[in-house]
PDB file of all heavy atoms in Angstrom:
ATOM      1  N   ALA A   8       7.775  -6.663   8.157  1.00  0.00           N
ATOM      2  CA  ALA A   8       6.883  -7.825   8.107  1.00  0.00           C
ATOM      3  C   ALA A   8       7.323  -8.823   7.044  1.00  0.00           C
ATOM      4  O   ALA A   8       7.834  -8.517   6.034  1.00  0.00           O
ATOM      5  CB  ALA A   8       5.454  -7.372   7.876  1.00  0.00           C
ATOM      6  N   GLY A   9       6.935 -10.096   7.153  1.00  0.00           N
ATOM      7  CA  GLY A   9       7.081 -11.152   6.248  1.00  0.00           C
ATOM      8  C   GLY A   9       8.415 -11.263   5.806  1.00  0.00           C
ATOM      9  O   GLY A   9       9.372 -11.350   6.618  1.00  0.00           O
ATOM     10  N   GLN A  10       8.698 -11.389   4.498  1.00  0.00           N
ATOM     11  CA  GLN A  10      10.191 -11.440   3.934  1.00  0.00           C
ATOM     12  C   GLN A  10      10.819 -10.121   3.842  1.00  0.00           C
ATOM     13  O   GLN A  10      11.936 -10.139   3.492  1.00  0.00           O
ATOM     14  CB  GLN A  10      10.076 -12.118   2.615  1.00  0.00           C
ATOM     15  CG  GLN A  10       9.811 -13.594   2.480  1.00  0.00           C
ATOM     16  CD  GLN A  10      10.150 -14.019   1.015  1.00  0.00           C
ATOM     17  OE1 GLN A  10       9.212 -14.119   0.254  1.00  0.00           O
ATOM     18  NE2 GLN A  10      11.295 -14.367   0.781  1.00  0.00           N
ATOM     19  N   LYS A  11      10.047  -9.136   4.152  1.00  0.00           N
ATOM     20  CA  LYS A  11      10.672  -7.670   4.162  1.00  0.00           C
ATOM     21  C   LYS A  11      11.063  -7.331   2.726  1.00  0.00           C
ATOM     22  O   LYS A  11      12.045  -6.654   2.497  1.00  0.00           O
ATOM     23  CB  LYS A  11      11.827  -7.627   5.080  1.00  0.00           C
ATOM     24  CG  LYS A  11      11.507  -8.079   6.379  1.00  0.00           C
ATOM     25  CD  LYS A  11      12.745  -8.037   7.255  1.00  0.00           C
ATOM     26  CE  LYS A  11      12.567  -8.687   8.668  1.00  0.00           C
ATOM     27  NZ  LYS A  11      13.607  -8.664   9.582  1.00  0.00           N
ATOM     28  N   THR A  12      10.209  -7.736   1.740  1.00  0.00           N
ATOM     29  CA  THR A  12      10.676  -7.447   0.358  1.00  0.00           C
ATOM     30  C   THR A  12       9.270  -6.816  -0.325  1.00  0.00           C
ATOM     31  O   THR A  12       8.426  -6.276   0.265  1.00  0.00           O
ATOM     32  CB  THR A  12      11.092  -8.648  -0.454  1.00  0.00           C
ATOM     33  OG1 THR A  12      10.099  -9.789  -0.330  1.00  0.00           O
ATOM     34  CG2 THR A  12      12.303  -9.185   0.067  1.00  0.00           C
ATOM     35  N   LEU A  13       9.134  -6.939  -1.695  1.00  0.00           N
ATOM     36  CA  LEU A  13       8.209  -6.101  -2.444  1.00  0.00           C
ATOM     37  C   LEU A  13       6.635  -6.493  -1.996  1.00  0.00           C
ATOM     38  O   LEU A  13       5.855  -5.575  -1.866  1.00  0.00           O
ATOM     39  CB  LEU A  13       8.338  -6.360  -3.869  1.00  0.00           C
ATOM     40  CG  LEU A  13       7.375  -5.631  -4.896  1.00  0.00           C
ATOM     41  CD1 LEU A  13       7.479  -4.091  -4.571  1.00  0.00           C
ATOM     42  CD2 LEU A  13       7.843  -5.945  -6.268  1.00  0.00           C
ATOM     43  N   LYS A  14       6.395  -7.715  -1.966  1.00  0.00           N
ATOM     44  CA  LYS A  14       5.080  -8.224  -1.523  1.00  0.00           C
ATOM     45  C   LYS A  14       4.654  -7.510  -0.227  1.00  0.00           C
ATOM     46  O   LYS A  14       3.544  -7.045  -0.066  1.00  0.00           O
ATOM     47  CB  LYS A  14       4.923  -9.761  -1.295  1.00  0.00           C
ATOM     48  CG  LYS A  14       3.599 -10.137  -0.727  1.00  0.00           C
ATOM     49  CD  LYS A  14       3.625 -11.681  -0.633  1.00  0.00           C
ATOM     50  CE  LYS A  14       4.574 -12.171   0.449  1.00  0.00           C
ATOM     51  NZ  LYS A  14       4.079 -11.801   1.836  1.00  0.00           N
ATOM     52  N   ASP A  15       5.495  -7.410   0.814  1.00  0.00           N
ATOM     53  CA  ASP A  15       5.202  -6.861   2.015  1.00  0.00           C
ATOM     54  C   ASP A  15       5.085  -5.315   1.859  1.00  0.00           C
ATOM     55  O   ASP A  15       4.269  -4.688   2.664  1.00  0.00           O
ATOM     56  CB  ASP A  15       6.307  -7.232   3.090  1.00  0.00           C
ATOM     57  CG  ASP A  15       6.656  -8.796   2.990  1.00  0.00           C
ATOM     58  OD1 ASP A  15       5.705  -9.542   3.338  1.00  0.00           O
ATOM     59  OD2 ASP A  15       7.687  -9.116   2.481  1.00  0.00           O
ATOM     60  N   ALA A  16       5.863  -4.676   1.004  1.00  0.00           N
ATOM     61  CA  ALA A  16       5.612  -3.228   0.780  1.00  0.00           C
ATOM     62  C   ALA A  16       4.331  -2.948   0.166  1.00  0.00           C
ATOM     63  O   ALA A  16       3.680  -1.927   0.558  1.00  0.00           O
ATOM     64  CB  ALA A  16       6.838  -2.806  -0.115  1.00  0.00           C
ATOM     65  N   VAL A  17       3.861  -3.785  -0.590  1.00  0.00           N
ATOM     66  CA  VAL A  17       2.596  -3.679  -1.314  1.00  0.00           C
ATOM     67  C   VAL A  17       1.430  -3.748  -0.205  1.00  0.00           C
ATOM     68  O   VAL A  17       0.554  -2.854  -0.166  1.00  0.00           O
ATOM     69  CB  VAL A  17       2.318  -4.645  -2.436  1.00  0.00           C
ATOM     70  CG1 VAL A  17       0.854  -4.536  -2.944  1.00  0.00           C
ATOM     71  CG2 VAL A  17       3.306  -4.465  -3.592  1.00  0.00           C
ATOM     72  N   ASN A  18       1.593  -4.639   0.626  1.00  0.00           N
ATOM     73  CA  ASN A  18       0.640  -4.864   1.714  1.00  0.00           C
ATOM     74  C   ASN A  18       0.476  -3.542   2.606  1.00  0.00           C
ATOM     75  O   ASN A  18      -0.622  -3.178   2.809  1.00  0.00           O
ATOM     76  CB  ASN A  18       0.984  -6.062   2.695  1.00  0.00           C
ATOM     77  CG  ASN A  18       0.705  -7.363   2.086  1.00  0.00           C
ATOM     78  OD1 ASN A  18      -0.127  -7.496   1.197  1.00  0.00           O
ATOM     79  ND2 ASN A  18       1.458  -8.397   2.540  1.00  0.00           N
ATOM     80  N   GLU A  19       1.668  -2.966   2.917  1.00  0.00           N
ATOM     81  CA  GLU A  19       1.631  -1.738   3.666  1.00  0.00           C
ATOM     82  C   GLU A  19       1.042  -0.602   2.957  1.00  0.00           C
ATOM     83  O   GLU A  19       0.332   0.234   3.563  1.00  0.00           O
ATOM     84  CB  GLU A  19       3.088  -1.497   4.326  1.00  0.00           C
ATOM     85  CG  GLU A  19       3.559  -2.386   5.202  1.00  0.00           C
ATOM     86  CD  GLU A  19       2.618  -2.493   6.529  1.00  0.00           C
ATOM     87  OE1 GLU A  19       2.253  -1.482   7.053  1.00  0.00           O
ATOM     88  OE2 GLU A  19       2.319  -3.644   6.902  1.00  0.00           O
ATOM     89  N   ALA A  20       1.446  -0.536   1.728  1.00  0.00           N
ATOM     90  CA  ALA A  20       0.831   0.618   0.936  1.00  0.00           C
ATOM     91  C   ALA A  20      -0.659   0.501   0.778  1.00  0.00           C
ATOM     92  O   ALA A  20      -1.370   1.484   0.957  1.00  0.00           O
ATOM     93  CB  ALA A  20       1.457   0.611  -0.391  1.00  0.00           C
ATOM     94  N   MET A  21      -1.165  -0.723   0.758  1.00  0.00           N
ATOM     95  CA  MET A  21      -2.649  -0.889   0.606  1.00  0.00           C
ATOM     96  C   MET A  21      -3.226  -0.596   1.902  1.00  0.00           C
ATOM     97  O   MET A  21      -4.350   0.005   1.935  1.00  0.00           O
ATOM     98  CB  MET A  21      -2.959  -2.345   0.145  1.00  0.00           C
ATOM     99  CG  MET A  21      -2.570  -2.543  -1.388  1.00  0.00           C
ATOM    100  SD  MET A  21      -3.012  -4.199  -2.018  1.00  0.00           S
ATOM    101  CE  MET A  21      -4.868  -4.016  -2.154  1.00  0.00           C
ATOM    102  N   ARG A  22      -2.708  -0.855   3.061  1.00  0.00           N
ATOM    103  CA  ARG A  22      -3.206  -0.567   4.288  1.00  0.00           C
ATOM    104  C   ARG A  22      -3.306   0.992   4.455  1.00  0.00           C
ATOM    105  O   ARG A  22      -4.313   1.452   5.070  1.00  0.00           O
ATOM    106  CB  ARG A  22      -2.353  -1.138   5.496  1.00  0.00           C
ATOM    107  CG  ARG A  22      -2.454  -2.693   5.625  1.00  0.00           C
ATOM    108  CD  ARG A  22      -1.785  -3.171   6.890  1.00  0.00           C
ATOM    109  NE  ARG A  22      -1.722  -4.657   6.888  1.00  0.00           N
ATOM    110  CZ  ARG A  22      -0.658  -5.388   6.506  1.00  0.00           C
ATOM    111  NH1 ARG A  22       0.371  -4.864   6.174  1.00  0.00           N
ATOM    112  NH2 ARG A  22      -0.820  -6.766   6.664  1.00  0.00           N
ATOM    113  N   ASP A  23      -2.287   1.649   4.076  1.00  0.00           N
ATOM    114  CA  ASP A  23      -2.201   3.099   4.080  1.00  0.00           C
ATOM    115  C   ASP A  23      -3.434   3.635   3.301  1.00  0.00           C
ATOM    116  O   ASP A  23      -4.112   4.537   3.696  1.00  0.00           O
ATOM    117  CB  ASP A  23      -0.927   3.634   3.644  1.00  0.00           C
ATOM    118  CG  ASP A  23      -0.701   5.133   3.720  1.00  0.00           C
ATOM    119  OD1 ASP A  23      -1.759   5.924   3.458  1.00  0.00           O
ATOM    120  OD2 ASP A  23       0.332   5.598   3.970  1.00  0.00           O
ATOM    121  N   TRP A  24      -3.523   3.140   2.050  1.00  0.00           N
ATOM    122  CA  TRP A  24      -4.489   3.664   1.215  1.00  0.00           C
ATOM    123  C   TRP A  24      -6.025   3.442   1.695  1.00  0.00           C
ATOM    124  O   TRP A  24      -6.885   4.348   1.655  1.00  0.00           O
ATOM    125  CB  TRP A  24      -4.506   2.889  -0.177  1.00  0.00           C
ATOM    126  CG  TRP A  24      -5.134   3.672  -1.290  1.00  0.00           C
ATOM    127  CD1 TRP A  24      -5.406   5.056  -1.357  1.00  0.00           C
ATOM    128  CD2 TRP A  24      -5.585   3.123  -2.596  1.00  0.00           C
ATOM    129  NE1 TRP A  24      -6.064   5.356  -2.537  1.00  0.00           N
ATOM    130  CE2 TRP A  24      -6.124   4.196  -3.389  1.00  0.00           C
ATOM    131  CE3 TRP A  24      -5.612   1.790  -3.142  1.00  0.00           C
ATOM    132  CZ2 TRP A  24      -6.743   4.036  -4.677  1.00  0.00           C
ATOM    133  CZ3 TRP A  24      -6.130   1.613  -4.308  1.00  0.00           C
ATOM    134  CH2 TRP A  24      -6.625   2.691  -5.157  1.00  0.00           C
ATOM    135  N   VAL A  25      -6.293   2.308   2.341  1.00  0.00           N
ATOM    136  CA  VAL A  25      -7.586   2.130   2.954  1.00  0.00           C
ATOM    137  C   VAL A  25      -7.919   3.195   4.056  1.00  0.00           C
ATOM    138  O   VAL A  25      -8.936   3.616   4.108  1.00  0.00           O
ATOM    139  CB  VAL A  25      -7.690   0.679   3.594  1.00  0.00           C
ATOM    140  CG1 VAL A  25      -8.835   0.472   4.580  1.00  0.00           C
ATOM    141  CG2 VAL A  25      -7.720  -0.424   2.541  1.00  0.00           C
ATOM    142  N   THR A  26      -6.813   3.569   4.786  1.00  0.00           N
ATOM    143  CA  THR A  26      -6.991   4.514   5.847  1.00  0.00           C
ATOM    144  C   THR A  26      -7.148   5.965   5.402  1.00  0.00           C
ATOM    145  O   THR A  26      -7.783   6.723   5.965  1.00  0.00           O
ATOM    146  CB  THR A  26      -5.785   4.447   6.845  1.00  0.00           C
ATOM    147  OG1 THR A  26      -5.638   2.991   7.201  1.00  0.00           O
ATOM    148  CG2 THR A  26      -6.055   5.215   8.004  1.00  0.00           C
ATOM    149  N   ASN A  27      -6.376   6.232   4.255  1.00  0.00           N
ATOM    150  CA  ASN A  27      -6.394   7.630   3.768  1.00  0.00           C
ATOM    151  C   ASN A  27      -6.955   7.792   2.376  1.00  0.00           C
ATOM    152  O   ASN A  27      -6.445   8.617   1.636  1.00  0.00           O
ATOM    153  CB  ASN A  27      -4.955   8.140   3.848  1.00  0.00           C
ATOM    154  CG  ASN A  27      -4.308   7.923   5.237  1.00  0.00           C
ATOM    155  OD1 ASN A  27      -4.635   8.705   6.090  1.00  0.00           O
ATOM    156  ND2 ASN A  27      -3.459   7.007   5.422  1.00  0.00           N
ATOM    157  N   VAL A  28      -7.994   7.122   2.072  1.00  0.00           N
ATOM    158  CA  VAL A  28      -8.343   6.997   0.534  1.00  0.00           C
ATOM    159  C   VAL A  28      -8.971   8.265   0.106  1.00  0.00           C
ATOM    160  O   VAL A  28      -8.887   8.597  -1.063  1.00  0.00           O
ATOM    161  CB  VAL A  28      -9.403   5.841   0.519  1.00  0.00           C
ATOM    162  CG1 VAL A  28     -10.706   6.188   1.111  1.00  0.00           C
ATOM    163  CG2 VAL A  28      -9.596   5.461  -0.857  1.00  0.00           C
ATOM    164  N   ARG A  29      -9.422   9.117   0.950  1.00  0.00           N
ATOM    165  CA  ARG A  29     -10.128  10.419   0.408  1.00  0.00           C
ATOM    166  C   ARG A  29      -9.170  11.417  -0.197  1.00  0.00           C
ATOM    167  O   ARG A  29      -9.387  12.048  -1.156  1.00  0.00           O
ATOM    168  CB  ARG A  29     -10.875  11.067   1.555  1.00  0.00           C
ATOM    169  CG  ARG A  29     -12.131  10.219   1.931  1.00  0.00           C
ATOM    170  CD  ARG A  29     -12.915  11.014   2.844  1.00  0.00           C
ATOM    171  NE  ARG A  29     -14.304  10.376   3.287  1.00  0.00           N
ATOM    172  CZ  ARG A  29     -15.162  10.797   4.069  1.00  0.00           C
ATOM    173  NH1 ARG A  29     -15.043  11.925   4.613  1.00  0.00           N
ATOM    174  NH2 ARG A  29     -16.234  10.030   4.235  1.00  0.00           N
ATOM    175  N   ASP A  30      -7.900  11.551   0.377  1.00  0.00           N
ATOM    176  CA  ASP A  30      -6.982  12.485  -0.065  1.00  0.00           C
ATOM    177  C   ASP A  30      -5.735  11.905  -0.697  1.00  0.00           C
ATOM    178  O   ASP A  30      -4.885  12.659  -1.150  1.00  0.00           O
ATOM    179  CB  ASP A  30      -6.570  13.478   1.036  1.00  0.00           C
ATOM    180  CG  ASP A  30      -5.730  12.849   2.075  1.00  0.00           C
ATOM    181  OD1 ASP A  30      -5.669  11.519   2.119  1.00  0.00           O
ATOM    182  OD2 ASP A  30      -4.960  13.547   2.872  1.00  0.00           O
ATOM    183  N   THR A  31      -5.704  10.539  -0.810  1.00  0.00           N
ATOM    184  CA  THR A  31      -4.482   9.942  -1.265  1.00  0.00           C
ATOM    185  C   THR A  31      -4.638   9.156  -2.530  1.00  0.00           C
ATOM    186  O   THR A  31      -5.680   8.426  -2.562  1.00  0.00           O
ATOM    187  CB  THR A  31      -3.932   9.030  -0.070  1.00  0.00           C
ATOM    188  OG1 THR A  31      -3.623   9.747   1.127  1.00  0.00           O
ATOM    189  CG2 THR A  31      -2.806   8.091  -0.467  1.00  0.00           C
ATOM    190  N   HIS A  32      -3.700   9.098  -3.402  1.00  0.00           N
ATOM    191  CA  HIS A  32      -3.695   8.313  -4.489  1.00  0.00           C
ATOM    192  C   HIS A  32      -2.586   7.335  -4.459  1.00  0.00           C
ATOM    193  O   HIS A  32      -1.450   7.822  -4.112  1.00  0.00           O
ATOM    194  CB  HIS A  32      -3.571   9.097  -5.915  1.00  0.00           C
ATOM    195  CG  HIS A  32      -3.473   8.188  -7.125  1.00  0.00           C
ATOM    196  ND1 HIS A  32      -4.436   7.265  -7.458  1.00  0.00           N
ATOM    197  CD2 HIS A  32      -2.361   8.003  -8.025  1.00  0.00           C
ATOM    198  CE1 HIS A  32      -3.947   6.611  -8.502  1.00  0.00           C
ATOM    199  NE2 HIS A  32      -2.753   7.053  -8.922  1.00  0.00           N
ATOM    200  N   TYR A  33      -2.720   6.134  -4.773  1.00  0.00           N
ATOM    201  CA  TYR A  33      -1.763   5.068  -4.694  1.00  0.00           C
ATOM    202  C   TYR A  33      -1.241   4.848  -6.082  1.00  0.00           C
ATOM    203  O   TYR A  33      -1.831   4.339  -6.963  1.00  0.00           O
ATOM    204  CB  TYR A  33      -2.319   3.759  -4.171  1.00  0.00           C
ATOM    205  CG  TYR A  33      -1.358   2.622  -4.126  1.00  0.00           C
ATOM    206  CD1 TYR A  33      -0.090   2.656  -4.278  1.00  0.00           C
ATOM    207  CD2 TYR A  33      -1.922   1.237  -3.834  1.00  0.00           C
ATOM    208  CE1 TYR A  33       0.804   1.587  -4.208  1.00  0.00           C
ATOM    209  CE2 TYR A  33      -1.089   0.149  -3.900  1.00  0.00           C
ATOM    210  CZ  TYR A  33       0.254   0.321  -4.022  1.00  0.00           C
ATOM    211  OH  TYR A  33       1.138  -0.841  -3.993  1.00  0.00           O
ATOM    212  N   ILE A  34       0.208   5.303  -6.421  1.00  0.00           N
ATOM    213  CA  ILE A  34       0.703   5.048  -7.633  1.00  0.00           C
ATOM    214  C   ILE A  34       1.381   3.673  -7.617  1.00  0.00           C
ATOM    215  O   ILE A  34       2.465   3.449  -7.245  1.00  0.00           O
ATOM    216  CB  ILE A  34       1.783   6.138  -8.098  1.00  0.00           C
ATOM    217  CG1 ILE A  34       1.166   7.500  -8.047  1.00  0.00           C
ATOM    218  CG2 ILE A  34       2.444   5.835  -9.303  1.00  0.00           C
ATOM    219  CD1 ILE A  34       2.084   8.690  -8.425  1.00  0.00           C
ATOM    220  N   LEU A  35       0.513   2.690  -8.012  1.00  0.00           N
ATOM    221  CA  LEU A  35       1.038   1.348  -8.119  1.00  0.00           C
ATOM    222  C   LEU A  35       2.051   1.290  -9.260  1.00  0.00           C
ATOM    223  O   LEU A  35       1.749   1.812 -10.306  1.00  0.00           O
ATOM    224  CB  LEU A  35      -0.143   0.311  -8.259  1.00  0.00           C
ATOM    225  CG  LEU A  35       0.179  -1.136  -7.925  1.00  0.00           C
ATOM    226  CD1 LEU A  35      -1.152  -1.841  -7.567  1.00  0.00           C
ATOM    227  CD2 LEU A  35       0.677  -1.892  -9.131  1.00  0.00           C
ATOM    228  N   GLY A  36       3.143   0.642  -9.103  1.00  0.00           N
ATOM    229  CA  GLY A  36       4.307   0.609  -9.913  1.00  0.00           C
ATOM    230  C   GLY A  36       4.479  -0.295 -11.136  1.00  0.00           C
ATOM    231  O   GLY A  36       5.325  -0.230 -11.965  1.00  0.00           O
ATOM    232  N   THR A  37       3.496  -1.483 -11.222  1.00  0.00           N
ATOM    233  CA  THR A  37       3.582  -2.243 -12.248  1.00  0.00           C
ATOM    234  C   THR A  37       2.187  -2.665 -12.768  1.00  0.00           C
ATOM    235  O   THR A  37       1.179  -2.173 -12.202  1.00  0.00           O
ATOM    236  CB  THR A  37       4.411  -3.529 -11.865  1.00  0.00           C
ATOM    237  OG1 THR A  37       4.641  -4.312 -12.912  1.00  0.00           O
ATOM    238  CG2 THR A  37       3.508  -4.293 -10.746  1.00  0.00           C
TER     239      THR A  37
END
């Protein structure tokens, strides 16, 4: 999606986290 770079990777990670928040931790990198 989008430019296919870091911003778009963050978007997908956040979508995953919303869906799997109970057992998942998001190690944001910066």
Side-chain angles (χ1 to χ4, degrees):
Q10 280 190 272
K11 308 176 187 179
T12 56
L13 182 56
K14 172 179 68 67
D15 312 295
V17 174
N18 283 338
E19 289 304 312
M21 291 185 74
R22 289 189 184 101
D23 184 320
W24 198 24
V25 167
T26 306
N27 302 288
V28 69
R29 290 189 178 182
D30 70 340
T31 297
H32 174 62
Y33 178 13
I34 299 186
L35 199 153
T37 193

